Amino acid sequence: GEQVEQLPSILRVQEGSSASINCSYEDSASNYFPWYKQEPGENPKLIIDIRSNMERKQIQELIVLLDKKAKRFSLHITDTQPGDSAMYFCAASANYGNEKITFGAGTKLTIKP
Amino acid sequence: NSKVIQTPRYLVKGQGQKAKMRCIPEKGHPVVFWYQQNKNNEFKFLINFQNQEVLQQIDMTEKRFSAECPSNSPCSLEIQSSEAGDSALYLCASTLSTYEQYFGPGTRLTVL
């Protein structure tokens, strides 16, 4: 089955700077790549996603890049704020909308004031 | 924001006891997923349904869990005989057969 690797596992950045999380996947059939943000005691919330027909997507301060050839995708948070501190999970899914999602191991992001 | 409803939010069971949790998917969403998130934040896919039919499930689910999604009733996931290693957050997600999966608040199971 699909394997998703996520790095780094811990990330600390200064408020106002950018944070980047990198993921890679193995299954070339994967064509959907969501990102989830999870705060302590809460459920994961979908914050941005990208499909394989795109290379870049931006929603406000969130930018997702996808390199299908290298099987890599990344999340970039620009102008980080304290509220961005959380666990972030990348994920991959193949082919159809009813396919399971395979998650990365997560990145604990801390924004330093 | 997700409109998936999960009950109960917290569940405490002794080893060997049954543990049952429920999920009401977002209205109109025919596809339902169950995932387990352990204390190390690792996700494990358990089972998914389209309407009332099982699409995929892992071996553990087939052997130790009982799950269903009857029409006009909540979906349910039941561990037949709880083990300490089952302590985790159980997340239900639904989708409109598109790609996005929205999670409910989860049921946090503690097996003593």
Side-chain angles (χ1 to χ4, degrees):
Chain A
E2 174 67 288
Q3 301 278 336
V4 176
E5 184 175 345
Q6 181 173 348
L7 291 170
S9 54
I10 297 173
L11 181 60
R12 296 187 184 93
V13 302
Q14 206 70 36
E15 182 178 350
S17 64
S18 295
S20 296
I21 302 170
N22 298 296
C23 292
S24 62
Y25 61 100
E26 293 184 357
D27 188 351
S28 55
S30 289
N31 59 357
Y32 174 65
F33 306 93
W35 288 85
Y36 288 86
K37 176 183 179 182
Q38 187 175 24
E39 299 187 67
E42 298 287 320
N43 58 342
K45 292 180 173 60
L46 179 66
I47 55 173
I48 191 169
D49 56 15
I50 190 166
R51 300 191 190 189
S52 59
N53 60 350
M54 301 174 71
E55 295 179 347
R56 185 183 190 277
K57 183 174 179 178
Q58 181 167 1
I59 297 176
Q60 296 180 331
E61 79 281 5
L62 303 176
I63 299 170
V64 173
L65 302 176
L66 173 63
D67 182 344
K68 285 183 294 182
K69 207 169 184 180
K71 294 183 187 173
R72 289 182 188 160
F73 58 113
S74 57
L75 173 69
H76 306 272
I77 306 172
T78 61
D79 189 24
T80 52
Q81 301 299 312
D84 294 324
S85 294
M87 285 290 297
Y88 289 81
F89 295 91
C90 64
S93 178
N95 295 329
Y96 306 112
N98 56 13
E99 281 290 307
K100 66 179 181 184
I101 283 176
T102 300
F103 288 86
T107 296
K108 183 175 181 180
L109 174 62
T110 303
I111 308 302
K112 298 180 288 185
Chain B
N1 285 335
S2 173
K3 297 178 179 64
V4 176
I5 298 170
Q6 287 190 251
T7 58
R9 293 293 305 275
Y10 300 92
L11 192 55
V12 180
K13 294 291 179 182
Q15 294 195 48
Q17 289 187 317
K18 290 189 178 186
K20 188 168 187 175
M21 53 205 87
R22 293 176 176 81
C23 169
I24 300 175
E26 191 162 333
K27 191 173 182 181
H29 284 193
V31 185
V32 173
F33 299 79
W34 287 96
Y35 296 87
Q36 178 198 67
Q37 186 181 25
N38 66 19
K39 63 180 181 181
N40 295 320
N41 288 316
E42 296 162 334
F43 288 85
K44 180 185 289 183
F45 165 79
L46 297 176
I47 189 169
N48 61 346
F49 293 84
Q50 180 151 1
N51 297 315
Q52 292 80 53
E53 301 296 318
V54 174
L55 293 175
Q56 300 169 286
Q57 63 180 323
I58 62 172
D59 279 351
M60 179 181 81
T61 307
E62 197 166 2
K63 290 174 183 171
R64 300 186 50 239
F65 291 53
S66 173
E68 60 177 1
C69 261
S71 61
N72 300 317
S73 291
C75 298
S76 64
L77 181 71
E78 183 175 37
I79 306 173
Q80 296 301 301
S81 178
S82 300
E83 301 172 357
D86 295 327
S87 294
L89 180 66
Y90 289 82
L91 291 159
C92 175
S94 70
T95 184
L96 192 59
S97 296
T98 55
Y99 291 85
E100 297 89 353
Q101 292 184 24
Y102 296 97
F103 288 95
T107 293
R108 188 165 297 280
L109 171 65
T110 302
V111 181
L112 301 173

